Amino acid sequence: MPNNVQGRKMDDKTVQSVLIVFAMQAEAQPLIQALGLEKDEPPKIIGPAPCVTFSSQHEDLQVHVVWNGKDEETGVDNVGTVPASLSTYLAVLAFKPDVVISAGTAGGFRAQGAAIGDVFLGTAVINHDRRIPLPSFDKYGIGYSLCLATPRLQAELGLKQGVVSSGNSLDYTDKCMEIMGQHQVAVKEMEAAAIAWACNLYHVPLMCVKAVTDIVDGDRPTSEEFLENLHAAAAALQNTLPRVLGRLAGRKLSEL
Ligand code: ADE
């Protein structure tokens, strides 16, 4: 029997529907175009929640995308943990997917074998910026959650894998780095742990598919490297996601 995000046993379903959660439009758009996903009209999620959903049927697989939408005040994408958990909560309620995928870009750790343009599968997620040194709150803060185990899919697609760590900053403090080192984090991003939290409420399994835009333990400024590689990483993601979906369709969770 497969595990859900907290390692509990869950039903061995056949995958018929998938929800992919994106923070940035630039990350979502190539896939929306490639798969011909249509914006859901009338909206499946009613405002004021800012997220936007897209859907289409691909042979035996119903594919849904939720993008966190834009911040009204600044006009930029709603990145970070708060919009990610809201979007996931509402989209899982609306679409009842068999599997959720947190997809997007991330910083990679050279120490864990990451290079620019690599696509990683998450084995587990943590938070590196929720430091609460009180009994049990310390564990809650880290929020370690297992991702759905997909050894066959990973081998078939030849993807790297590792722990994904989320925090609400593009940069990091020494303490963030210490926590990521303790958990042998391979990729650092800003949403997956929040998406895992919402998935766990519904007992829906989570996968993470993350394309590397910058090297966290490298020597270049993150923002410069991120902007330089965003479109190449989004293309790598768009090349990988349809192959991931192809391996999910019609397979039981335990066969992944
Ligand atoms: N997204 C892409 N690169 C990132 C990084 N280094 N930290 C957080 N989110 C990211």
Side-chain angles (χ1 to χ4, degrees), residues 2-78:
N3 291 328
N4 73 356
V5 287
Q6 286 198 327
R8 293 195 201 102
K9 299 295 173 210
M10 59 185 181
D11 289 347
D12 192 15
K13 284 187 183 167
T14 297
V15 181
Q16 294 174 305
S17 84
V18 173
L19 169 70
I20 311 172
V21 185
F22 288 100
M24 297 184 72
Q25 195 165 26
E27 295 166 335
Q29 203 55 42
L31 184 78
I32 291 170
Q33 242 151 15
L35 296 188
L37 292 160
E38 301 274 353
K39 188 171 170 184
D40 291 308
E41 294 285 7
K44 286 284 194 293
I45 297 175
I46 309 300
C51 47
V52 186
T53 69
F54 303 81
S55 302
S56 78
Q57 181 78 31
H58 277 267
E59 292 162 23
D60 292 340
L61 191 69
Q62 185 71 45
V63 180
H64 304 283
V65 162
V66 63
W67 159 55
N68 293 343
K70 292 214 184 271
D71 174 54
E72 255 187 29
E73 180 113 354
T74 58
V76 302
D77 297 285
N78 284 310

Coordinates of all heavy atoms in Angstrom, one line a residue, residues 2-78:
P2 N 0.5 2.3 -0.8 CA 1.4 3.5 -0.9 C 1.1 4.4 0.4 O 0.1 4.2 1.1 CB 0.9 4.2 -2.1 CG -0.4 3.6 -2.5 CD -0.5 2.3 -1.8
N3 N 2.1 5.3 0.6 CA 1.9 6.2 1.7 C 1.4 7.6 1.3 O 1.7 8.0 0.1 CB 3.3 6.5 2.3 CG 3.9 5.3 3.0 OD1 3.1 4.5 3.6 ND2 5.2 5.1 3.0
N4 N 0.7 8.3 2.1 CA 0.3 9.7 1.8 C 1.4 10.5 2.4 O 2.5 10.1 2.8 CB -1.1 10.0 2.4 CG -1.1 10.2 3.9 OD1 -0.1 9.9 4.5 ND2 -2.2 10.6 4.4
V5 N 1.2 11.9 2.3 CA 2.3 12.8 2.7 C 2.9 12.6 4.1 O 4.0 13.0 4.4 CB 1.9 14.3 2.4 CG1 1.9 14.6 1.0 CG2 0.6 14.6 3.1
Q6 N 2.1 12.0 5.0 CA 2.7 11.8 6.3 C 3.0 10.4 6.6 O 3.2 10.0 7.8 CB 1.7 12.4 7.4 CG 1.7 13.9 7.4 CD 1.1 14.5 8.6 OE1 0.2 13.9 9.2 NE2 1.6 15.6 9.1
G7 N 3.1 9.6 5.6 CA 3.5 8.2 5.7 C 2.4 7.3 6.2 O 2.7 6.1 6.5
R8 N 1.1 7.8 6.2 CA 0.0 6.8 6.6 C -0.3 6.0 5.4 O -0.2 6.5 4.2 CB -1.2 7.6 7.0 CG -1.0 8.4 8.3 CD -2.3 8.8 8.9 NE -2.0 9.9 9.8 CZ -2.2 11.2 9.5 NH1 -2.7 11.6 8.3 NH2 -2.0 12.1 10.4
K9 N -0.9 4.8 5.6 CA -1.3 4.0 4.5 C -2.5 4.6 3.8 O -3.4 5.2 4.5 CB -1.6 2.6 5.0 CG -0.4 1.9 5.6 CD 0.6 1.6 4.6 CE 1.9 1.1 5.3 NZ 3.1 1.4 4.5
M10 N -2.7 4.4 2.5 CA -3.9 5.0 1.9 C -4.3 4.0 0.8 O -3.5 3.1 0.4 CB -3.6 6.4 1.3 CG -2.5 6.4 0.4 SD -2.1 8.0 -0.2 CE -0.8 7.6 -1.3
D11 N -5.5 4.2 0.3 CA -6.1 3.3 -0.8 C -5.2 3.3 -2.0 O -4.7 4.3 -2.4 CB -7.4 3.8 -1.2 CG -8.5 3.6 -0.1 OD1 -8.1 2.8 0.8 OD2 -9.6 4.1 -0.2
D12 N -5.0 2.1 -2.6 CA -4.2 2.0 -3.8 C -5.0 2.3 -5.0 O -5.4 1.4 -5.8 CB -3.6 0.5 -3.8 CG -2.5 0.4 -4.8 OD1 -2.0 1.5 -5.3 OD2 -2.2 -0.7 -5.2
K13 N -5.3 3.5 -5.3 CA -6.2 3.9 -6.4 C -5.5 3.8 -7.7 O -4.3 3.9 -7.8 CB -6.5 5.4 -6.2 CG -7.5 5.8 -5.2 CD -7.8 7.2 -5.3 CE -8.8 7.7 -4.2 NZ -8.9 9.1 -4.2
T14 N -6.3 3.7 -8.8 CA -5.8 3.9 -10.1 C -5.8 5.4 -10.4 O -6.8 6.1 -10.2 CB -6.6 3.1 -11.1 OG1 -6.5 1.8 -10.8 CG2 -6.2 3.4 -12.6
V15 N -4.7 6.0 -11.0 CA -4.7 7.4 -11.2 C -5.5 7.8 -12.4 O -5.2 7.4 -13.5 CB -3.2 7.9 -11.3 CG1 -3.2 9.4 -11.5 CG2 -2.4 7.5 -10.1
Q16 N -6.6 8.6 -12.2 CA -7.4 9.0 -13.2 C -7.5 10.5 -13.3 O -7.9 11.1 -14.3 CB -8.9 8.5 -13.0 CG -8.9 7.0 -13.2 CD -10.3 6.4 -12.8 OE1 -10.8 6.7 -11.7 NE2 -10.9 5.7 -13.7
S17 N -7.1 11.2 -12.2 CA -7.1 12.7 -12.3 C -5.9 13.2 -11.5 O -5.6 12.7 -10.4 CB -8.4 13.2 -11.9 OG -8.5 13.3 -10.5
V18 N -5.3 14.3 -12.0 CA -4.1 14.9 -11.4 C -4.3 16.4 -11.3 O -4.9 17.0 -12.3 CB -2.9 14.6 -12.3 CG1 -1.6 15.3 -11.8 CG2 -2.6 13.1 -12.3
L19 N -3.9 17.0 -10.2 CA -3.9 18.5 -10.1 C -2.5 18.9 -10.0 O -1.7 18.4 -9.2 CB -4.6 18.9 -8.8 CG -4.5 20.3 -8.4 CD1 -5.2 21.2 -9.3 CD2 -5.0 20.5 -6.9
I20 N -2.1 19.9 -10.9 CA -0.7 20.4 -10.8 C -0.8 21.8 -10.3 O -1.5 22.7 -10.8 CB -0.1 20.4 -12.2 CG1 -0.2 19.0 -12.9 CG2 1.4 20.8 -12.1 CD1 0.2 19.0 -14.3
V21 N 0.0 22.1 -9.3 CA 0.0 23.4 -8.6 C 1.2 24.2 -9.0 O 2.3 23.8 -8.8 CB -0.1 23.3 -7.1 CG1 -0.3 24.7 -6.4 CG2 -1.2 22.3 -6.6
F22 N 1.0 25.4 -9.5 CA 2.1 26.3 -9.9 C 2.0 27.6 -9.2 O 0.8 28.2 -9.1 CB 2.0 26.7 -11.4 CG 2.4 25.6 -12.4 CD1 1.4 24.8 -13.0 CD2 3.7 25.3 -12.6 CE1 1.7 23.8 -13.9 CE2 4.1 24.3 -13.6 CZ 3.1 23.6 -14.2
A23 N 3.1 28.3 -8.8 CA 3.1 29.6 -8.3 C 3.1 30.7 -9.3 O 2.5 31.7 -9.3 CB 4.2 29.8 -7.3
M24 N 4.0 30.4 -10.4 CA 4.3 31.5 -11.3 C 3.7 31.2 -12.7 O 3.7 30.0 -13.2 CB 5.8 31.7 -11.5 CG 6.5 32.2 -10.2 SD 8.2 32.5 -10.5 CE 8.1 34.0 -11.4
Q25 N 3.1 32.2 -13.3 CA 2.5 32.1 -14.6 C 3.6 31.6 -15.6 O 3.3 30.7 -16.5 CB 2.0 33.4 -15.1 CG 1.1 33.3 -16.3 CD 0.3 34.6 -16.5 OE1 0.7 35.7 -16.1 NE2 -0.9 34.5 -17.1
A26 N 4.8 32.1 -15.5 CA 5.9 31.7 -16.4 C 6.2 30.2 -16.3 O 6.7 29.6 -17.3 CB 7.2 32.5 -16.2
E27 N 6.0 29.6 -15.1 CA 6.2 28.2 -14.9 C 5.0 27.4 -15.5 O 5.2 26.3 -16.0 CB 6.3 27.9 -13.4 CG 7.5 28.5 -12.8 CD 7.4 28.4 -11.2 OE1 6.3 28.4 -10.7 OE2 8.5 28.5 -10.6
A28 N 3.8 27.9 -15.4 CA 2.6 27.1 -15.8 C 2.3 27.2 -17.3 O 1.8 26.3 -17.9 CB 1.4 27.7 -15.0
Q29 N 2.6 28.4 -17.9 CA 2.2 28.7 -19.2 C 2.6 27.7 -20.3 O 1.8 27.2 -21.1 CB 2.6 30.1 -19.6 CG 1.7 30.7 -20.8 CD 0.2 30.7 -20.4 OE1 -0.2 31.0 -19.3 NE2 -0.6 30.3 -21.4
P30 N 3.9 27.2 -20.3 CA 4.4 26.3 -21.3 C 3.5 25.0 -21.3 O 3.2 24.4 -22.3 CB 5.8 26.0 -21.0 CG 6.3 27.2 -20.2 CD 5.0 27.7 -19.4
L31 N 3.2 24.5 -20.1 CA 2.5 23.3 -20.0 C 1.0 23.5 -20.4 O 0.4 22.6 -21.1 CB 2.5 22.7 -18.5 CG 1.8 21.4 -18.4 CD1 2.7 20.2 -18.9 CD2 1.4 21.1 -17.0
I32 N 0.4 24.6 -20.0 CA -1.0 24.9 -20.4 C -1.1 24.9 -21.9 O -2.0 24.3 -22.5 CB -1.4 26.3 -19.8 CG1 -1.5 26.1 -18.3 CG2 -2.7 26.8 -20.4 CD1 -1.7 27.4 -17.5
Q33 N -0.1 25.5 -22.6 CA -0.1 25.6 -24.0 C 0.2 24.2 -24.6 O -0.6 23.8 -25.5 CB 1.0 26.5 -24.5 CG 0.5 27.7 -25.3 CD 1.3 28.9 -25.1 OE1 2.5 28.8 -24.7 NE2 0.8 30.0 -25.5
A34 N 1.2 23.5 -24.1 CA 1.6 22.2 -24.7 C 0.4 21.2 -24.6 O 0.2 20.4 -25.5 CB 2.8 21.6 -24.0
L35 N -0.3 21.2 -23.5 CA -1.4 20.2 -23.3 C -2.8 20.8 -23.8 O -3.8 20.1 -23.7 CB -1.5 19.8 -21.9 CG -0.3 19.1 -21.2 CD1 -0.7 18.6 -19.9 CD2 0.1 17.9 -22.1
G36 N -2.8 22.0 -24.2 CA -4.0 22.6 -24.7 C -5.1 22.7 -23.6 O -6.3 22.5 -23.8
L37 N -4.6 23.0 -22.4 CA -5.5 23.1 -21.2 C -6.3 24.4 -21.4 O -5.8 25.5 -21.8 CB -4.7 23.2 -19.9 CG -4.0 21.9 -19.5 CD1 -2.9 22.2 -18.5 CD2 -5.0 20.9 -18.9
E38 N -7.6 24.3 -21.1 CA -8.5 25.5 -21.2 C -8.8 26.0 -19.8 O -9.0 25.3 -18.8 CB -9.9 25.0 -21.7 CG -9.8 24.3 -23.1 CD -9.8 25.3 -24.2 OE1 -10.1 26.5 -23.9 OE2 -9.6 24.9 -25.4
K39 N -8.8 27.4 -19.7 CA -9.2 28.0 -18.5 C -10.6 27.6 -18.1 O -11.5 27.6 -19.0 CB -9.2 29.6 -18.7 CG -9.3 30.3 -17.4 CD -9.0 31.8 -17.7 CE -9.5 32.7 -16.6 NZ -9.3 34.1 -16.8
D40 N -10.9 27.2 -16.9 CA -12.2 26.8 -16.5 C -13.2 28.0 -16.5 O -13.0 28.9 -15.7 CB -12.2 26.1 -15.1 CG -11.5 24.8 -15.2 OD1 -11.8 23.9 -16.0 OD2 -10.5 24.5 -14.4
E41 N -14.2 27.9 -17.3 CA -15.2 29.0 -17.4 C -16.6 28.3 -17.4 O -16.8 27.5 -18.3 CB -15.0 29.8 -18.7 CG -13.8 30.6 -18.9 CD -13.7 31.9 -18.0 OE1 -14.7 32.1 -17.2 OE2 -12.8 32.6 -18.2
P42 N -17.5 28.7 -16.5 CA -17.3 29.6 -15.4 C -16.2 29.1 -14.5 O -16.0 27.8 -14.4 CB -18.7 29.6 -14.8 CG -19.3 28.3 -15.1 CD -18.8 28.0 -16.5
P43 N -15.6 29.9 -13.6 CA -14.5 29.5 -12.8 C -15.0 28.4 -11.8 O -16.1 28.4 -11.3 CB -14.2 30.8 -12.0 CG -14.8 31.9 -12.7 CD -15.9 31.4 -13.5
K44 N -14.1 27.4 -11.6 CA -14.4 26.4 -10.6 C -14.1 26.9 -9.2 O -14.6 26.3 -8.2 CB -13.5 25.1 -10.9 CG -14.0 24.4 -12.2 CD -15.2 23.6 -11.8 CE -15.6 22.5 -12.8 NZ -16.1 22.9 -14.1
I45 N -13.2 27.9 -9.1 CA -13.0 28.5 -7.8 C -13.4 29.9 -7.8 O -12.9 30.7 -8.6 CB -11.5 28.4 -7.4 CG1 -11.1 26.9 -7.3 CG2 -11.2 29.1 -6.1 CD1 -9.6 26.6 -7.1
I46 N -14.4 30.2 -6.9 CA -15.0 31.5 -6.9 C -14.1 32.5 -6.1 O -13.6 32.1 -5.0 CB -16.4 31.5 -6.3 CG1 -17.2 30.4 -6.9 CG2 -17.1 32.8 -6.3 CD1 -17.5 30.5 -8.4
G47 N -13.9 33.8 -6.6 CA -13.2 34.8 -5.8 C -13.8 35.0 -4.5 O -14.9 34.6 -4.2
P48 N -13.1 35.8 -3.6 CA -11.9 36.5 -3.9 C -10.6 35.7 -3.9 O -9.5 36.3 -4.1 CB -11.9 37.6 -2.7 CG -12.6 36.9 -1.6 CD -13.6 36.0 -2.3
A49 N -10.6 34.4 -3.8 CA -9.4 33.6 -3.9 C -8.8 34.0 -5.3 O -9.5 33.9 -6.3 CB -9.7 32.2 -3.8
P50 N -7.5 34.3 -5.4 CA -7.0 34.8 -6.7 C -6.5 33.7 -7.6 O -6.1 34.0 -8.7 CB -5.7 35.6 -6.2 CG -5.3 35.0 -4.9 CD -6.6 34.4 -4.3
C51 N -6.6 32.5 -7.2 CA -6.1 31.4 -8.1 C -7.0 31.2 -9.3 O -8.1 31.5 -9.3 CB -5.9 30.1 -7.3 SG -7.3 29.6 -6.3
V52 N -6.3 30.6 -10.4 CA -7.0 30.4 -11.7 C -6.7 29.0 -12.1 O -5.6 28.4 -11.9 CB -6.3 31.3 -12.7 CG1 -7.1 31.2 -14.1 CG2 -6.3 32.8 -12.3
T53 N -7.8 28.3 -12.6 CA -7.6 26.9 -12.9 C -7.8 26.7 -14.4 O -8.6 27.4 -15.1 CB -8.6 26.0 -12.1 OG1 -9.9 26.3 -12.5 CG2 -8.5 26.2 -10.6
F54 N -7.2 25.6 -14.9 CA -7.2 25.2 -16.3 C -7.4 23.6 -16.3 O -6.8 23.0 -15.4 CB -5.9 25.5 -17.0 CG -5.6 27.0 -16.9 CD1 -4.9 27.5 -15.8 CD2 -5.8 27.8 -18.0 CE1 -4.6 28.8 -15.7 CE2 -5.5 29.2 -17.9 CZ -4.9 29.7 -16.7
S55 N -8.2 23.1 -17.2 CA -8.4 21.7 -17.3 C -8.5 21.1 -18.7 O -8.8 21.9 -19.6 CB -9.8 21.4 -16.6 OG -9.8 21.8 -15.3
S56 N -8.2 19.8 -18.8 CA -8.5 19.1 -20.0 C -8.3 17.6 -19.8 O -7.7 17.2 -18.8 CB -7.6 19.5 -21.2 OG -6.4 19.0 -21.1
Q57 N -9.0 16.8 -20.7 CA -8.9 15.4 -20.6 C -7.8 14.9 -21.5 O -7.8 15.3 -22.7 CB -10.3 14.8 -21.0 CG -10.3 13.3 -20.9 CD -10.5 12.7 -19.5 OE1 -11.1 13.4 -18.6 NE2 -10.0 11.5 -19.2
H58 N -6.9 14.1 -21.0 CA -5.8 13.5 -21.9 C -5.9 12.0 -21.9 O -5.5 11.4 -21.0 CB -4.4 14.0 -21.4 CG -4.2 15.3 -22.0 ND1 -3.5 15.5 -23.1 CD2 -4.5 16.5 -21.5 CE1 -3.5 16.8 -23.4 NE2 -4.1 17.4 -22.4
E59 N -6.5 11.5 -22.9 CA -6.8 10.0 -23.0 C -7.5 9.7 -21.7 O -8.6 10.2 -21.4 CB -5.6 9.2 -23.3 CG -5.1 9.5 -24.7 CD -3.7 9.1 -25.0 OE1 -3.1 8.3 -24.3 OE2 -3.2 9.7 -26.0
D60 N -6.9 8.8 -20.8 CA -7.6 8.4 -19.6 C -7.3 9.3 -18.4 O -7.7 8.9 -17.3 CB -7.1 6.9 -19.3 CG -7.5 6.0 -20.3 OD1 -8.5 6.3 -21.0 OD2 -6.9 4.9 -20.4
L61 N -6.6 10.4 -18.6 CA -6.3 11.2 -17.5 C -6.9 12.6 -17.5 O -6.8 13.3 -18.5 CB -4.7 11.3 -17.5 CG -4.1 11.9 -16.2 CD1 -4.3 11.0 -15.0 CD2 -2.6 12.3 -16.4
Q62 N -7.6 12.9 -16.5 CA -8.1 14.3 -16.3 C -7.0 15.2 -15.7 O -6.5 14.8 -14.6 CB -9.3 14.3 -15.4 CG -10.1 15.6 -15.2 CD -10.8 16.0 -16.5 OE1 -11.5 15.1 -17.1 NE2 -10.7 17.2 -16.9
V63 N -6.6 16.2 -16.4 CA -5.5 17.1 -15.9 C -6.1 18.4 -15.5 O -6.8 19.1 -16.3 CB -4.4 17.2 -17.0 CG1 -3.3 18.1 -16.5 CG2 -3.9 15.9 -17.5
H64 N -5.7 18.9 -14.3 CA -6.1 20.2 -13.8 C -4.9 20.9 -13.4 O -4.0 20.3 -12.8 CB -7.0 20.1 -12.6 CG -8.3 19.3 -12.9 ND1 -9.3 19.8 -13.6 CD2 -8.6 18.0 -12.5 CE1 -10.3 18.8 -13.6 NE2 -9.8 17.8 -13.0
V65 N -4.8 22.2 -13.8 CA -3.7 23.1 -13.3 C -4.4 24.2 -12.4 O -5.4 24.7 -12.8 CB -3.0 23.7 -14.5 CG1 -2.2 24.9 -14.1 CG2 -2.1 22.7 -15.1
V66 N -3.7 24.5 -11.3 CA -4.1 25.7 -10.6 C -2.9 26.5 -10.4 O -1.8 26.1 -10.1 CB -4.8 25.4 -9.2 CG1 -3.8 24.6 -8.2 CG2 -5.3 26.7 -8.5
W67 N -3.0 27.8 -10.8 CA -1.9 28.8 -10.7 C -2.4 29.8 -9.6 O -3.6 30.2 -9.6 CB -1.7 29.4 -12.1 CG -1.0 30.8 -12.0 CD1 0.2 31.0 -11.4 CD2 -1.5 32.0 -12.6 NE1 0.5 32.4 -11.6 CE2 -0.5 33.0 -12.3 CE3 -2.7 32.4 -13.3 CZ2 -0.7 34.3 -12.6 CZ3 -2.8 33.7 -13.6 CH2 -1.8 34.7 -13.3
N68 N -1.5 30.2 -8.8 CA -1.8 31.0 -7.6 C -2.3 32.5 -8.0 O -2.8 33.2 -7.1 CB -0.7 31.2 -6.7 CG -0.3 29.8 -6.0 OD1 -1.2 28.9 -6.0 ND2 0.8 29.7 -5.5
G69 N -2.3 32.8 -9.3 CA -2.8 34.1 -9.7 C -1.8 35.3 -9.3 O -0.7 35.0 -8.8
K70 N -2.3 36.5 -9.5 CA -1.4 37.7 -9.3 C -1.9 38.5 -8.1 O -3.1 38.5 -7.7 CB -1.5 38.6 -10.5 CG -0.9 38.0 -11.7 CD -0.2 39.0 -12.6 CE 0.4 38.4 -13.9 NZ 1.7 37.9 -13.7
D71 N -1.0 39.1 -7.4 CA -1.2 40.0 -6.3 C -1.8 41.3 -6.9 O -1.2 41.9 -7.8 CB 0.1 40.3 -5.5 CG -0.1 41.3 -4.4 OD1 -1.0 41.1 -3.6 OD2 0.7 42.3 -4.4
E72 N -3.0 41.7 -6.4 CA -3.6 42.9 -6.9 C -2.8 44.2 -6.8 O -2.8 45.0 -7.7 CB -5.0 43.1 -6.2 CG -6.1 42.7 -7.0 CD -7.5 43.1 -6.4 OE1 -7.5 44.1 -5.6 OE2 -8.4 42.3 -6.6
E73 N -2.2 44.3 -5.7 CA -1.4 45.5 -5.4 C -0.2 45.7 -6.2 O 0.1 46.8 -6.8 CB -1.0 45.4 -3.9 CG -0.2 46.6 -3.4 CD -1.0 47.4 -2.4 OE1 -2.2 47.0 -2.1 OE2 -0.5 48.3 -1.8
T74 N 0.6 44.6 -6.4 CA 1.9 44.8 -7.1 C 1.9 44.2 -8.5 O 2.8 44.5 -9.3 CB 3.0 44.0 -6.3 OG1 2.5 42.6 -6.2 CG2 3.2 44.6 -4.9
G75 N 0.9 43.4 -8.8 CA 0.8 42.8 -10.1 C 1.7 41.6 -10.4 O 1.8 41.1 -11.5
V76 N 2.4 41.1 -9.3 CA 3.3 40.0 -9.5 C 2.6 38.7 -9.0 O 1.6 38.7 -8.4 CB 4.6 40.2 -8.7 CG1 5.4 41.4 -9.1 CG2 4.4 40.2 -7.2
D77 N 3.2 37.6 -9.4 CA 2.6 36.3 -9.1 C 2.6 36.1 -7.5 O 3.5 36.5 -6.8 CB 3.5 35.1 -9.6 CG 3.5 35.1 -11.2 OD1 2.5 34.8 -11.8 OD2 4.5 35.6 -11.7
N78 N 1.6 35.4 -7.1 CA 1.4 35.1 -5.6 C 2.3 33.9 -5.3 O 1.8 32.8 -5.1 CB 0.0 34.8 -5.3 CG -0.9 36.0 -5.3 OD1 -0.6 37.0 -4.6 ND2 -2.0 35.9 -6.0

